[in-house]
Amino acid sequence: MPISVQNMFKERKFPFLFAFSFLLISVTILLFSYSSSSPSLLLSTNFQVSDPLPPPPRPLPSRSPNNVPVSSTKPVSKTTAAASDVDLNVSLDIKWENCQLGPLAVDYIPCLDNWKAIKELKSRRRMEHRERHCPKPSPRCLAPLPIGYKVPVHWPKSRDMIWYGNVPHPKLVEYKKEQNWVRKSGDYFVFPGGGTQFKNGVQSYIDFIHKTLPAIKWGKNIRVILDVGCGVASFGGYLLDKDVITMSFAPKDEHESQIQFALERGIPAILSVIGTQKLTFPDNAYDLIHCARCRVHWDGDGGKPLLELNRVLKPGGYFIWSATPVYRDDERDSKVWKSMVALTTSLCWKIVAKTVDSTGVGLVIYQKPSSYSCYKQRKEKLPPLCEQKTNQNVSWYKPLSYCISRLPVDRMGNLLRWSTPWPQRLSSKPPSLPSEPDAEDIFIEDTKHWAALVSEVYLDGLAISLGRIRNVIDMNAGYGGFAAALIDQPLWVMNVVPIDAQDTLSIIFERGLIGVYHDWCESFNTYPRTYDLLHASFLFKNLKERCDIIDLAVEMDRILRPGGYLLVQDTMENIKKLNPVLRSLHWSTTLYQGQFLVGEKGFWRPSENDNRKET
């Protein structure tokens, strides 16, 4: 006879029913947990999961959406994410193909090799054809390897010699044979340190500059340099010994592969041109700018090219110009010199030195003013002072301006002075930190965060061979803390501030580091196979709303050298999306601590007759 609820309570049988219900629920939960971790999810070999790594000993600041750290007491995860938490069965059926561009495919740079867009340009007078013209949609083909490609020569040996087969372009050997830029020796290109203006070698030239103006104290007052029209970047390469980091740049032009030579050597360099658009650097970035026969018409277009140099040069910074108008008296050179005198006078640049060395090569050294007094005293206010800037990343796809950029001020409106000497400036409070009360604390926490993470996880725990790493990109650099933490390693970092992130690039330069603005929905201004390590810390949050992760993976595959690494710290959601794409490119991938994805690129390229769907 059924027992009523009333009788059940009366007879006090509810404790038994309660216990029985609890047992039934527990069994159900156990059965569900077992089924959710079934062996079918653990059999995939597309993703390796490492053993747990010890966490850093101190709490690390978390990252906000714009990559600026915020206070947090949450340390890096102490355990590796369980395999059941990662959907390892996700795969992509992608048929990868090599770029069909004939012999040009091995050096393909989508935004600089868009021949269709270049042919439609109305003019090439101001170097428009050397600027960015990105194809839409982004190409999803792969740059093939040069025949005979080898693992690059390691630094520091690579500064003086590289494999010929990795950059098989002998045009410069013949074109510049009298100037000793580069020679071919057996299976190698050899770089003897010569150049158009370096008749006694680049080291002698560097010493000559210091002797001419002792105030230029390499590696102290002068830490960050821009070398315009750098050739094969020997000037910047030899300054590395003096704790000077040089952003060498030149266009992709008839001086075949000069930037590719520089990067293969392990010297910081980027493809760029002073044409119609601003350089992708912030205002007041460089301690010194150098031009040795760089073939830029500084007085062209009303002087806009030199005004652009003035924009990126720090107050009190130097411009060194070593060119024939400085030391030759023929009609053409004299005309150029007079024009340069008029232009630099209008900018209030002061000549602090002008001389000729024992070989007959001369140079002039200008200094940018550090106050407004000269500007106010000009009889003609041309060029005018620029309007106050109000938006960030103002140099990305922006036209050159006919105005003098304003001098930087602190939060109180006072003019900023020369940076703290190197190496103190790396950890000192950057002058352009935001004015918020906790800005300095956030900066300090960010520095501590990266020091701990790099020391105790990146260097000690991850399966990355540092001996093979020289060229590094931090794809979402923030304050440059990752690069600062690696400062004692034999490598250099290109710090990239994405255009949709907080504009921190001025802070990066104030720390004595280098970097650029960039939109990772487009290709980067570099040749294929030019970086050893790509680092991406919480990069994908904003990108996934604007571009496809497959396109970014193709770009990372393009710029990374075979044997190079990708190091991603991100949410598991984004890692799950990226991993299958990397695996389809035949990369090996490993997951650490549930948040660090390490990818290693191999030498695989699609064969001509490969019709398989790569997964």
Side-chain angles (χ1 to χ4, degrees):
M1 181 176 181
I3 300 175
S4 67
V5 174
Q6 184 178 1
N7 291 333
M8 185 171 61
F9 276 92
K10 184 176 180 180
E11 295 176 19
R12 296 186 179 181
K13 293 183 178 180
F14 64 89
F16 168 78
L17 292 177
F18 177 81
F20 178 80
S21 300
F22 178 80
L23 180 62
L24 182 62
I25 292 171
S26 300
V27 171
T28 302
I29 293 174
L30 287 173
L31 289 173
F32 178 80
S33 300
Y34 178 80
S35 62
S36 66
S37 59
S38 61
S40 63
L41 291 182
L42 302 176
L43 293 176
S44 172
T45 59
N46 282 353
F47 212 107
Q48 303 173 36
V49 180
S50 73
D51 293 332
L53 294 175
R58 60 175 65 85
L60 301 179
S62 62
R63 311 298 294 182
S64 67
N66 59 9
N67 199 41
V68 176
V70 294
S71 298
S72 173
T73 57
K74 182 180 179 180
V76 172
S77 173
K78 294 183 179 181
T79 60
T80 303
S84 59
D85 293 335
V86 183
D87 189 358
L88 300 178
N89 281 344
V90 172
S91 61
L92 292 177
D93 293 330
I94 302 177
K95 180 183 176 181
W96 293 110
E97 295 181 352
N98 291 323
C99 299
Q100 302 302 310
L101 299 168
L104 300 178
V106 295
D107 295 331
Y108 180 47
I109 306 171
C111 290
L112 299 181
D113 294 336
N114 188 353
W115 312 118
K116 180 180 179 181
I118 292 172
K119 289 178 181 179
E120 294 175 354
L121 291 174
K122 296 180 180 179
S123 172
R124 298 189 179 191
R125 188 164 60 92
R126 295 187 178 94
M127 301 290 286
E128 293 93 334
H129 58 300
R130 306 296 186 194
E131 295 178 324
R132 294 173 61 82
H133 304 281
C134 297
K136 302 293 183 182
S138 298
R140 289 186 175 179
C141 62
L142 306 182
L145 298 179
I147 297 174
Y149 182 86
K150 302 177 182 179
V151 173
V153 177
H154 294 165
W155 183 266
K157 187 178 179 181
S158 63
R159 187 189 71 172
D160 301 321
M161 59 192 305
I162 63 174
W163 292 112
Y164 171 81
N166 288 10
V167 192
H169 302 298
K171 185 175 180 179
L172 270 180
V173 175
E174 181 63 25
Y175 189 69
K176 295 292 184 179
K177 62 182 179 181
E178 301 299 329
Q179 298 169 11
N180 222 18
W181 283 26
V182 56
R183 298 196 312 261
K184 187 175 184 300
S185 177
D187 293 334
Y188 296 94
F189 279 125
V190 177
F191 302 88
T196 308
Q197 302 294 95
F198 314 150
K199 294 187 177 180
N200 286 334
V202 65
Q203 187 61 61
S204 176
Y205 177 79
I206 290 171
D207 294 339
F208 174 60
I209 291 173
H210 185 261
K211 182 178 179 181
T212 300
L213 189 65
I216 295 178
K217 297 179 180 179
W218 303 121
K220 294 182 180 179
N221 291 343
I222 304 299
R223 161 64 183 174
V224 185
I225 289 180
L226 180 66
D227 189 14
V228 183
C230 62
V232 295
S234 290
F235 181 70
Y238 278 77
L239 279 171
L240 288 166
D241 292 338
K242 299 183 180 295
D243 270 345
V244 173
I245 188 164
T246 304
M247 179 77 82
S248 298
F249 87 85
K252 187 179 183 184
D253 61 7
E254 62 273 10
H255 281 178
E256 191 176 62
S257 299
Q258 52 190 332
I259 293 298
Q260 193 175 20
F261 278 128
L263 288 163
E264 186 74 13
R265 297 173 71 185
I267 300 171
I270 194 168
L271 286 159
S272 189
V273 64
I274 303 178
T276 68
Q277 298 176 358
K278 291 183 177 181
L279 300 171
T280 55
F281 311 125
D283 295 359
N284 311 297
Y286 289 96
D287 305 327
L288 184 148
I289 300 176
H290 173 257
C291 160
R293 296 282 288 277
C294 54
R295 301 191 306 161
V296 177
H297 299 292
W298 298 115
D299 59 342
D301 199 15
K304 286 184 178 179
L306 198 65
L307 282 164
E308 178 63 2
L309 284 199
N310 183 77
R311 180 184 72 83
V312 301
L313 183 62
K314 279 185 178 179
Y318 300 104
F319 174 55
I320 299 177
W321 189 36
S322 178
T324 55
V326 177
Y327 55 91
R328 289 183 183 172
D329 297 327
D330 59 85
E331 183 178 352
R332 176 187 172 279
D333 286 321
S334 295
K335 183 179 179 180
V336 173
W337 174 251
K338 289 179 181 179
S339 177
M340 191 68 166
V341 168
L343 181 56
T344 54
T345 300
S346 72
L347 299 183
C348 291
W349 283 13
K350 177 176 63 175
I351 294 179
V352 293
K354 185 173 182 285
T355 188
V356 177
D357 69 8
S358 60
T359 68
V361 171
L363 57 81
V364 60
I365 304 178
Y366 298 96
Q367 188 172 25
K368 178 179 174 177
S370 55
S371 73
Y372 282 106
S373 59
C374 175
Y375 297 139
K376 294 177 180 178
Q377 295 171 7
R378 294 182 302 164
K379 294 181 180 180
E380 295 186 14
K381 307 299 183 183
L382 293 176
L385 288 174
C386 298
E387 297 293 331
Q388 292 283 9
K389 68 175 184 177
T390 57
N391 57 322
Q392 63 176 11
N393 301 332
V394 293
S395 67
W396 181 250
Y397 282 129
K398 297 296 182 180
L400 294 180
S401 300
Y402 180 69
C403 63
I404 299 174
S405 61
R406 292 185 174 269
L407 303 178
V409 296
D410 61 19
R411 68 186 65 180
M412 303 300 295
N414 301 313
L415 291 175
L416 297 178
R417 300 302 176 185
W418 195 271
S419 300
T420 304
W422 181 263
Q424 289 80 9
R425 66 191 275 188
L426 181 66
S427 55
S428 299
K429 175 185 174 183
S432 63
L433 269 180
S435 57
E436 286 78 4
D438 60 346
E440 186 173 0
D441 291 338
I442 290 175
F443 172 76
I444 293 172
E445 281 301 305
D446 184 77
T447 301
K448 292 179 180 178
H449 162 79
W450 286 110
L453 189 60
V454 167
S455 174
E456 300 177 37
V457 177
Y458 287 6
L459 297 184
D460 290 343
L462 303 186
I464 293 178
S465 175
L466 281 179
R468 289 159 43 189
I469 294 174
R470 174 62 186 171
N471 303 346
V472 179
I473 287 184
D474 190 354
M475 301 175 72
N476 191 22
Y479 289 147
F482 172 71
L486 289 169
I487 200 66
D488 293 327
Q489 301 296 324
L491 51 80
W492 64 273
V493 179
M494 179 72 79
N495 294 282
V496 177
V497 173
I499 61 166
D500 56 357
Q502 180 177 342
D503 188 352
T504 54
L505 195 52
S506 291
I507 292 172
I508 288 170
F509 275 94
E510 287 165 358
R511 301 188 74 177
L513 307 170
I514 59 172
V516 293
Y517 296 119
H518 185 60
D519 182 355
W520 285 112
C521 291
E522 301 178 358
S523 75
F524 194 69
N525 273 14
T526 193
Y527 286 91
R529 306 170 304 279
T530 46
Y531 283 88
D532 303 300
L533 174 64
L534 311 181
H535 175 252
S537 177
F538 298 100
L539 171 70
F540 299 99
K541 179 179 178 60
N542 296 329
L543 280 179
K544 65 183 180 182
E545 300 173 359
R546 300 191 299 111
C547 49
D548 196 313
I549 200 168
I550 295 177
D551 295 326
L552 182 56
V554 171
E555 177 62 5
M556 292 189 295
D557 183 84
R558 187 185 72 86
I559 66 180
L560 191 64
R561 289 170 171 172
Y565 299 98
L566 168 67
L567 172 54
V568 175
Q569 181 187 19
D570 217 300
T571 64
M572 187 53 59
E573 176 188 2
N574 290 327
I575 287 176
K576 288 177 182 179
K577 292 178 180 178
L578 178 62
N579 178 73
V581 186
L582 298 180
R583 295 296 300 188
S584 74
L585 291 164
H586 291 234
W587 288 31
S588 62
T589 53
T590 308
L591 182 67
Y592 293 88
Q593 294 194 357
Q595 60 178 309
F596 301 106
L597 175 68
V598 177
E600 183 176 2
K601 176 184 172 181
F603 281 73
W604 176 84
R605 296 286 89 173
S607 63
E608 293 183 3
N609 299 318
D610 189 359
N611 294 319
R612 296 173 301 160
K613 288 186 176 181
E614 304 299 339
T615 60

